[in-house]
Amino acid sequence: MGSVRPAAWRRGAVVAALMLAAFTFNTAENLPVGLLSLMAADLGVSLGAVGALVTGYGLTVAVVSLPAAHVTGSVPRRFLLAGLLGLLAVASWVSALDAVSYGPLLAARVVTALAQAAFWVVMGPVAVGLFPPGRRGRVMGLLSVGGSLATVLGVPAGTWLGGHGGWRAPFVVLGVLALVSLVLIAVLLPTSRPQENHAAYGTAPDRRRFLVVVATTALSVTGMFAGFTYVAALLEDVSGFDEDAVSGVLFAFGVAALAGVTLTGPLLDRFPRATLTVPVATQATALLGLYAAGSSRVAAVGLLMLLGASVAPVFMATQSQVLRVAPGRTETALAANSAAFNVGVAAGALLGAGLLPVVGVRGTFLAGGLLTVGALAVLAWPEPRVSAAVAEPR
């Protein structure tokens, strides 16, 4: 952002706009989950076809993240972010048109996913670059709060609005929110070359640590979604909750996730390793606990809240560490971590689907817990020892 840092109010407004954009993108990604039956009935397609609007979205983000980092590497971030939010707004409004059938809706989802892939690559470096390097973790924490609010507020609110005003109505609102973010960023974010931002490169480049963090992301997310994809079945078939109660339990999960990122964010700069290791450990505990004690309603609720308070901080902490240890441009490193996350979502869901008929729904949580233990083992892998002859030049 050049040698002169913008005024505090301006920096705060840009971060708020990026938080709103993260909230809007995350809500857009997952909204069809809450509108599944309404969309299927109106569009005349199966529930699986509507589910593909979410699965295909995540896979698109996974595949496109790294190429997006390379293609957009030299574009001024003010113009790039404004363009991406413009795509989000237009795609949302196209989705809301009465005449749109499943095919054009799928195309609009692909456009939104392409925009989101590039947005996640640049959002972090843009935001942290507005502040001193020592505040990187706290800024990433704020952005994570914006994204987490989509689970707690965005998707439930969109589901309610869709039930009362038709499934297309929430997409109109998402387009408006994207436009608000676009205007704020276009007006307030300074124009500069990406390389001029101090967040363009890691503060402590370390290729080995970077690979450890990305591997942790892939393993922990695969473990999470191997079980969590089928959490409704666990709560109904194993814990004995009815359908209405399941919604309440999942809301508690979302509140715990929001609390987790809110409490962990301010600690990222002071305790970078602990803020990743602790939530990975508690995620493993929660998944294994749901396998062992999921038949107890009290235990199931408590363990799901522990899971929510763990999984959101895990990704936030990996993103924060990537900003520190990136061996090259941070945007490329963040793209690799984002790709690992989205591959983990798809791989976890597929793994769970394969295990479900063999080991039952509880077994998917056991598999997820063991994979997360694997992530913990990767984090604990000892640093290579450097011989004295190499470490001390003559």
Side-chain angles (χ1 to χ4, degrees):
M1 311 282 120
S3 58
V4 179
R5 192 169 283 127
W9 71 266
R10 191 171 177 179
R11 286 179 278 152
V14 170
V15 171
L18 290 171
M19 290 174 67
L20 177 60
F23 168 84
T24 307
F25 268 117
N26 276 11
T27 302
E29 179 176 5
N30 295 295
L31 185 59
V33 172
L35 303 172
L36 209 64
S37 299
L38 291 173
M39 295 178 72
D42 185 58
L43 294 168
V45 298
S46 67
L47 292 176
V50 178
L53 296 175
V54 178
T55 306
Y57 191 110
L59 290 174
T60 301
V61 174
V63 171
V64 171
S65 292
L66 273 169
H70 289 289
V71 170
T72 63
S74 60
V75 181
R77 279 11 194 170
R78 179 187 178 190
F79 303 139
L80 177 60
L81 284 168
L84 296 174
L85 289 166
L87 287 176
L88 173 59
V90 171
S92 297
W93 289 330
V94 167
S95 301
L97 294 174
D98 289 336
V100 168
S101 59
Y102 181 80
L105 178 61
L106 180 61
R109 295 285 294 174
V110 170
V111 169
T112 306
L114 292 173
Q116 179 164 326
F119 174 79
W120 287 124
V121 167
V122 301
M123 173 185 68
V126 165
V128 302
L130 293 167
F131 298 86
R135 297 180 64 182
R136 288 187 173 193
R138 277 171 284 181
V139 175
M140 290 299 292
L142 287 172
L143 297 178
S144 295
V145 168
S148 297
L149 277 171
T151 303
V152 181
L153 178 62
V155 174
T159 302
W160 179 88
L161 180 59
H164 289 78
W167 68 263
R168 300 175 194 271
F171 288 95
V172 175
V173 176
L174 290 177
V176 173
L177 295 178
L179 184 61
V180 171
S181 298
L182 187 161
V183 171
L184 287 173
I185 287 171
V187 172
L188 298 175
L189 183 65
T191 303
S192 64
R193 299 173 60 193
Q195 304 91 299
E196 296 173 359
N197 186 339
H198 70 75
Y201 300 93
T203 54
D206 185 335
R207 183 175 296 276
R208 179 190 176 279
R209 185 64 185 173
F210 167 69
L211 293 175
V212 165
V213 171
V214 173
T216 299
T217 298
L219 284 170
S220 64
V221 173
T222 302
M224 167 65 181
F225 281 91
F228 189 74
T229 304
Y230 307 98
V231 66
L234 178 83
L235 292 173
E236 292 175 6
D237 300 340
V238 178
S239 304
F241 288 101
D242 60 33
E243 189 174 342
D244 291 336
V246 167
S247 299
V249 175
L250 292 179
F251 178 76
F253 170 90
V255 171
L258 180 59
V261 296
T262 302
L263 295 173
T264 305
L267 303 175
L268 290 171
D269 294 312
R270 294 175 59 195
F271 309 105
R273 299 212 176 194
T275 48
L276 178 55
T277 304
V278 170
V280 170
T282 53
Q283 176 181 313
T285 301
L287 288 168
L288 294 174
L290 285 165
Y291 162 72
S295 57
S296 165
R297 291 188 181 185
V298 174
V301 173
L303 288 166
L304 267 175
M305 291 185 72
L306 178 63
L307 185 61
S310 304
V311 67
V314 167
F315 186 61
M316 176 181 67
T318 60
Q319 291 287 83
S320 180
Q321 283 216 25
V322 164
L323 277 173
R324 274 196 335 113
V325 302
R329 285 282 293 272
T330 53
E331 290 161 359
T332 303
L334 288 169
N337 198 48
S338 178
F341 178 90
N342 285 282
V343 167
V345 172
L350 288 173
L351 175 63
L355 290 174
L356 193 60
V358 179
V359 298
V361 67
R362 288 177 62 188
T364 64
F365 282 82
L366 173 61
L370 293 176
L371 279 168
T372 310
V373 170
L376 197 60
V378 169
L379 275 177
W381 195 268
E383 298 279 353
R385 300 184 67 178
V386 181
S387 67
V390 174
E392 298 178 11
R394 297 176 182 177

